[in-house]
Structure formats: C-alpha cells, structure tokens
C-alpha cells in the first residue's frame, strides 16, 4: 500500500508533469544570470514542500551572490491554474503585486513579519519571496486554539 497523504493537505492532480526542485533551481539561477555549474553559487532547492490545489512551494537556501539581491533563504511558490493545473503567470503576477503592497504597508511594523517579494520568475508562474520561518498567518487564523473567545 502507498503512503497516505497527511490530513488537511489537498493534493493537486496534475494533467502533466509539474517542475521538480532541479528545474526550479535551474530557472532561479538563469533568472539571476548564473548557469547551473557557476562556481559562485552553492544554492540548494528543496521541494515541493507543500502541494495544494493551486500551488507548489519550494525553498532555496545558501544563495551565494556577490550582491545583496536576495537573502540567503527564499520561498519559491508556483501558482497553478486550477482547471488544468498548469503554471499561471497571471496568478503569480497578481499575487506578487498584492504581497508587495502588504510588504510596503507592514514591513516597518515590528508586530508583523511580511516576506519581501522579488520580481523574478513571475513569467514562469512563480512568486519569489524572502523565506520566513514559522507558521503562515492563515494557519494561525484557522487554528481553533487561536479563535477569539
């Protein structure tokens, strides 16, 4: 018998193959002007870490750049078009813009940690942001232990 999916996690049923960590790494390096064998990078990409109906989430670490273009850990989310489960550049652009607006308004507030968005890979359907450790706000809001009394 195969492994059962974790409770509460919806899995997409793609009609075609979705990108794996190797392809995501190649696209990331290409967008940063590096080739896969470039000695300046020691980047590793893990994932997909989460696979939902409309997205896949990857994590890139140890990004070794000569400039401060990106932090050392980033989140790379592939936005999928629900009917066909194909990458959706339109959804990625909309999501990246919405996140940019939230970041601009809340980044200076010490009560919130908002991931900084980066404008790379949206043409491939990806949203690239700073990686922030911890549970996402949505999970906290939906947790019965956090509900108002």
């Amino acid at each position: 018998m195969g492994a059962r999916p974790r409770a509460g996690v919806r899995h997409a049923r793609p009609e075609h193959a979705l990108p794996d960590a190797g392809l995501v790494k190649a696209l990331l390096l290409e967008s940063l002007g590096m080739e896969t064998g470039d000695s300046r990078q020691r980047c590793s990409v893990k994932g997909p870490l989460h696979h939902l109906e409309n997205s896949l989430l990857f994590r890139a670490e140890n990004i070794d750049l000569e400039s401060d273009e990106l932090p050392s850990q980033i989140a790379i989310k592939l936005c999928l078009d629900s009917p066909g489960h194909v990458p959706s550049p339109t959804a990625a652009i909309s999501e990246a813009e919405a996140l940019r607006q939230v970041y601009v308004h809340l980044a200076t507030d010490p009560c919130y940690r908002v991931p900084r968005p980066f404008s790379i890979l949206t043409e491939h359907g990806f949203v690239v942001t700073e990686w922030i450790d911890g549970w996402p706000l949505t999970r906290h809001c939906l947790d019965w232990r956090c509900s108002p009394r």
Side-chain angles (χ1 to χ4, degrees), residues 120-132:
I120 58 173
L121 296 178
T122 50
E123 69 276 7
H124 296 287
F126 291 95
V127 177
V128 178
T129 68
E130 169 185 21
W131 181 272
I132 295 180

Side-chain angles (χ1 to χ4, degrees), residues 1-139:
M1 288 191 135
R4 295 189 345 201
R6 293 182 302 180
V9 176
R10 296 174 296 156
H11 292 274
R13 291 175 180 35
E15 297 171 3
H16 62 85
L18 293 171
D20 63 3
L23 178 59
V24 172
K25 179 179 179 177
L27 288 170
L28 174 64
L29 295 177
E30 179 184 307
S31 73
L32 295 173
M34 293 187 225
E35 296 180 20
T36 305
D38 192 322
S39 63
R40 292 180 299 155
Q41 60 81 23
R42 291 181 287 272
C43 173
S44 67
V45 175
K46 297 175 183 172
L49 303 176
H50 300 285
H51 189 173
L52 299 175
E53 187 69 22
N54 62 352
S55 66
L56 291 172
L57 181 66
F58 297 85
R59 178 180 181 164
E61 299 175 317
N62 303 318
I63 299 169
D64 187 15
L65 298 174
E66 294 174 356
S67 68
D68 294 328
E69 295 175 47
L70 292 174
S72 64
Q73 297 182 49
I74 58 173
I76 305 171
K77 178 181 180 180
L78 175 61
C79 296
L80 300 172
D81 190 20
S82 287
H85 301 294
V86 295
S88 176
T90 305
I93 290 166
S94 296
E95 191 167 322
E97 177 57 24
L99 184 58
R100 187 195 65 74
Q101 290 178 19
V102 171
Y103 179 79
V104 166
H105 289 92
L106 296 178
T108 58
D109 190 326
C111 295
Y112 301 102
R113 298 239 11 237
V114 179
R116 180 172 47 146
F118 301 96
S119 51
I120 58 173
L121 296 178
T122 50
E123 69 276 7
H124 296 287
F126 291 95
V127 177
V128 178
T129 68
E130 169 185 21
W131 181 272
I132 295 180
D133 283 323
W135 298 109
L137 183 59
T138 305
R139 184 169 180 170

